[in-house]
């Protein structure tokens, strides 16, 4: 039990190492260029950045839905905090109850933290890495040379494309997979969120806004953040509870 628990506690570190490995592998190879060549032909990308209905379906709509989800969770959190403590142990008959999520206050707080921290962290990294988008590069009819991550940081390239921010908004929903209440749906949630995030990231790749590695690193980093926060919010209390129970376990 202890070995399993310790392994789960350090899962975030393994994910972080995997993120760093993926970053170094793609940034010091030509894999990104080779993949992006599939989306670029005859001097043009597969679709135009402003082309409709693609921009609405894969960019505007997901962002709107995620914002609405955040507003909904904040509203529910406020309502749950304002409910009298006595009602937490009794079935409530409020007409608004059917619109409230069954998640606990701790779980809602955790999910909100992930939804906020993932895009914020990615946005901060974008401002520090200065990595160019494919459509900025000379090899794709742009103005900038292709440089690796360290070269871009040193040169302070006027670009902010790594990791992928738009995809990170979708990947932030990985937080759902770590909720104790939804444990039985963990793998289904993981699969669904992965498809959602890569759909959002893949859309940006079609017109040269991101390399493959930008979305991959965004996915791994999102998982790392969600896992590390879950370790803090859920694992430690469970471990303490198990230890307390073990003390009173009859011999």
């Amino acid at each position: 039990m202890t070995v399993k628990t310790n392994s789960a506690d350090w899962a975030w570190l393994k994910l972080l190492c995997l993120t760093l490995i993926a970053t170094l592998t793609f940034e010091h190879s030509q894999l990104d260029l080779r993949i992006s060549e599939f989306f670029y032909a005859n001097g043009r990308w597969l679709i135009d950045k402003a082309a409709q209905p693609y921009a609405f379906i894969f960019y505007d709509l997901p962002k709107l839905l995620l914002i609405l989800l955040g507003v909904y969770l904040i509203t529910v959190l406020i309502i749950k905090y304002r409910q009298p403590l006595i009602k937490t142990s009794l079935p409530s008959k409020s007409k608004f109850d059917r619109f409230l999520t069954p998640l606990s206050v701790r779980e809602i707080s955790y999910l909100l933290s992930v939804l906020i921290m993932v895009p914020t962290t990615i946005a901060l990294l974008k401002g520090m890495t200065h990595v160019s988008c494919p459509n900025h590069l000379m090899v794709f009819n742009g103005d900038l040379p292709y440089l690796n991550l360290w070269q871009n940081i040193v040169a302070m390239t006027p670009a902010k494309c790594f990791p992928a921010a738009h995809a990170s908004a979708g990947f932030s929903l990985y937080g759902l997979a770590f909720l104790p209440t939804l444990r039985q749906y963990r793998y289904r949630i993981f699969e669904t969120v992965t498809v959602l995030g890569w759909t959002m990231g893949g859309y940006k790749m079609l017109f040269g806004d991101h390399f493959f590695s930008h979305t991959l690193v965004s996915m791994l980093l999102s998982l790392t953040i969600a896992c590390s926060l879950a370790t803090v919010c859920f694992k430690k209390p469970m471990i303490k509870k198990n230890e307390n129970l073990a003390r009173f376990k009859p011999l």
Side-chain angles (χ1 to χ4, degrees):
M1 175 67 74
T2 304
V3 174
K4 264 178 102 174
T5 300
N6 290 338
S7 177
D9 283 346
W10 291 102
W12 66 269
L13 183 58
K14 297 175 184 177
L15 286 168
L16 181 59
C17 291
L18 188 58
T19 303
L20 295 174
I21 292 172
T23 300
L24 294 174
T25 299
F26 278 89
E27 284 299 319
H28 294 83
S29 70
Q30 299 292 309
L31 289 173
D32 270 336
L33 290 174
R34 301 288 83 83
I35 294 173
S36 287
E37 286 174 354
F38 288 106
F39 311 118
Y40 187 81
N42 301 319
R44 296 188 61 181
W45 294 96
L46 288 184
I47 65 172
D48 183 71
K49 186 172 184 175
Q52 295 291 357
Y54 310 111
F56 174 75
I57 296 174
F58 300 109
Y59 189 80
D60 297 323
L61 183 60
K63 285 181 66 174
L64 175 61
L65 292 177
L66 286 166
I67 291 172
L68 291 176
L69 173 61
V71 172
Y72 166 72
L73 290 175
I74 291 173
T75 303
V76 172
L77 192 60
I78 293 173
I79 292 174
K80 284 180 176 285
Y81 266 120
R82 292 188 62 181
Q83 284 178 340
L85 292 177
I86 192 171
K87 288 187 177 181
T88 59
S89 60
L90 297 174
S92 177
K93 298 180 180 179
S94 171
K95 61 181 179 180
F96 298 108
D97 280 2
R98 58 180 173 176
F99 299 109
L100 301 183
T101 175
L103 302 178
S104 67
V105 169
R106 180 190 290 265
E107 289 176 317
I108 296 173
S109 300
Y110 159 77
L111 188 54
L112 274 171
S113 298
V114 175
L115 291 174
I116 294 170
M117 284 191 65
V118 167
T120 301
T121 303
I122 298 296
L124 290 174
L125 287 174
K126 281 164 63 76
M128 296 168 59
T129 56
H130 296 282
V131 173
S132 302
C133 301
N135 53 29
H136 293 158
L137 303 177
M138 294 177 182
V139 291
F140 296 116
N141 203 29
D143 303 318
L144 301 175
Y146 177 73
L147 304 174
N148 63 38
L149 177 59
W150 178 247
Q151 291 171 328
N152 277 304
I153 294 175
V154 173
M156 297 287 286
T157 306
K160 298 179 180 180
C161 295
F162 174 83
H166 181 57
S168 74
F171 289 133
S172 65
L173 291 175
Y174 275 134
L176 291 167
F178 293 93
L179 296 177
T181 299
L182 303 179
R183 183 179 299 275
Q184 59 181 323
Y185 307 110
R186 173 169 294 181
Y187 295 107
R188 191 177 303 173
I189 291 171
F190 179 81
E191 293 169 356
T192 303
V193 173
T194 300
V195 171
L196 173 63
W198 274 101
T199 299
M200 295 169 70
Y203 162 70
K204 301 277 276 186
M205 291 171 62
L206 293 179
F207 50 85
D209 251 22
H210 284 300
F211 279 122
F212 176 85
S213 67
H214 298 184
T215 301
L216 177 63
V217 171
S218 183
M219 179 189 79
L220 294 174
L221 191 55
S222 300
L223 262 176
T224 302
I225 294 171
C227 183
S228 60
L229 286 177
T231 300
V232 173
C233 292
F234 306 126
K235 299 295 182 182
K236 293 185 184 300
M238 290 174 63
I239 294 171
K240 189 173 182 180
K241 182 178 178 181
N242 289 336
E243 289 177 348
N244 291 335
L245 289 174
R247 293 176 187 174
F248 299 99
K249 188 175 180 181
L251 299 175

